[in-house]
Amino acid sequence: MTALAAPLALSACGPSDDAADMSDMPMDDDQVAMDGADMPMMGDRVTDGGATKSASAEGTVTAIDPEAGTITIDHGPVPATEWPAMTMAFEANQQLRDDVKVGDEVSFEFRAGDEGSVITSIDKK
Ligand SMILES: [Cu+2]
């Protein structure tokens, strides 16, 4: 019973503090299918095939880690990346980390790619 929730959350968009699990992320390689093969006009659609995605989300800051350079956010669902709601760490530079504190409700934008999830802007609500 107790083991059900955690693996589900972790597999969806990257574990917050265990980079070793990244190897079995199911997302990217399977997506390089032949969908667009006979439709060359779809070149402006960059959401599939392992490209970095930009998305925005809202959530609550639960931790800020200056050494790791991360902000951990309990975020809501993110349709753009097909993530469910979860708590996870995002990379964030010092300026962004200084803008918020634990407990803040925030809206933020980030890039999600093979190298991890990186916050590009963050605002308190
Ligand atoms: Cu997440």
Side-chain angles (χ1 to χ4, degrees), residues 2 22 24 35-36 48 59 62-63 67-68 70 72 86 97 99 101 106 109 111 124:
T2 54
M22 293 296 273
D24 61 30
D35 289 350
D48 287 330
T62 62
E67 287 184 21
T70 59
T72 302
M86 73 183 69
R97 297 196 308 272
D99 274 351
K101 62 184 190 304
V106 295
E109 297 181 1
R111 295 193 311 266
K124 278 182 255 190

Side-chain angles (χ1 to χ4, degrees), residues 24-38:
D24 61 30
M25 286 184 76
M27 300 172 150
D28 288 330
D29 291 341
D30 294 332
Q31 299 276 337
V32 191
M34 290 301 179
D35 289 350
D38 57 349

Side-chain angles (χ1 to χ4, degrees), residues 9 12-14 73 75-76 78 83-88 90:
C13 77
I73 299 177
H75 70 75
V78 186
W83 290 355
M86 73 183 69
T87 301
M88 63 181 284
F90 293 84

